[in-house]
Amino acid sequence: MTSDNAPRPGRPRDADKDLAVLIAARHLLAEVGYPQTTVVAIAKRAGVNTPAIYRRWPTRQALLEEAIHGPGGHAPPEPTGDLRADLATWVRIFLVRAESPAARAGVPGLLADSQTEEARRRLLAIGAPARKAFAELLGGAVDDGRIPPGADPELLFEILSGATTFHALLRGGEDAERFVSGVADALYVMAAHGVRSR
């Protein structure tokens, strides 16, 4: 017999509701912009109540960060053994995500609102699986001798993320294949020469 004061397990999260909320947030960002994408509007679009959203995401900003920067249900690309081609795939994926209407509408607002240490920690946590997979891609190329050791995967990941975000915000998908090829070439050269932050 358990005590009335014993802790009870919480209700498990509903993955379908989580996805509905994230999709609603992305659609609203594209349709009405960052300032008007409120938790109330997201809840109405997703068909859930606002307390359900706040049980999953502590703030509007945390929700929009995941909607824009989260994995979206897609696993990182599998390495093919051709590092240059794999880097191009990563650049292409990052550019497609960064040029989405939701990202182009939401990223400037999130950048303005992400000046706290807590916000930076959340963004790092959201991006952690992709950072790990990217580091493993470079590590595999080192292990089988395709590139020498020494390159800093964190630095290269930041260059990948920053370059694609900046291009998408300024130009969208304009001249995408040339951009993808150029950034992939640059990342490959830096990886092959062991570029590190100093």
Side-chain angles (χ1 to χ4, degrees):
M1 183 173 176
T2 59
S3 162
D4 287 343
N5 294 324
R8 293 180 174 86
R11 181 183 300 174
R13 266 177 36 205
D14 185 331
D16 289 340
K17 282 186 179 178
D18 286 357
L19 182 59
V21 169
L22 293 171
I23 290 172
R26 292 177 192 132
H27 286 175
L28 283 167
L29 282 166
E31 292 167 15
V32 301
Y34 182 80
Q36 284 73 44
T37 302
T38 64
V39 171
V40 171
I42 294 167
K44 183 176 179 182
R45 175 69 65 94
V48 302
N49 56 43
T50 54
I53 289 180
Y54 283 118
R55 281 194 295 271
R56 172 63 181 85
W57 293 276
T59 64
R60 167 182 177 265
Q61 185 181 346
L63 165 55
L64 295 183
E65 285 166 354
E66 186 166 343
I68 294 169
H69 298 299
H74 301 292
E78 289 293 326
T80 66
D82 181 339
L83 181 59
R84 167 60 179 74
D86 289 340
L87 289 169
T89 298
W90 276 80
V91 177
R92 192 172 291 108
I93 290 170
F94 270 53
L95 182 60
V96 167
R97 289 175 62 82
E99 70 170 347
S100 73
R104 295 187 75 187
V107 166
L110 280 179
L111 288 173
D113 290 346
S114 297
Q115 301 305 310
T116 67
E117 187 59 34
E118 179 186 354
R120 286 191 285 271
R121 281 198 302 270
R122 280 199 308 267
L123 286 173
L124 285 171
I126 290 170
R131 288 175 182 270
K132 182 174 182 288
F134 187 77
E136 289 171 351
L137 171 69
L138 296 181
V142 170
D143 291 344
D144 63 21
R146 283 175 288 145
I147 60 172
D152 182 352
E154 283 288 318
L155 175 63
L156 269 62
F157 186 89
E158 295 287 347
I159 292 169
L160 162 67
S161 180
T164 49
T165 299
F166 190 75
H167 183 90
L169 288 176
L170 260 61
R171 301 184 181 182
E174 178 185 319
D175 212 8
E177 283 309 308
R178 189 172 75 162
F179 172 80
V180 167
S181 181
V183 174
D185 284 344
L187 290 171
Y188 183 81
V189 169
M190 286 186 281
H193 286 81
V195 172
R196 304 186 64 82
S197 56
R198 299 184 185 278

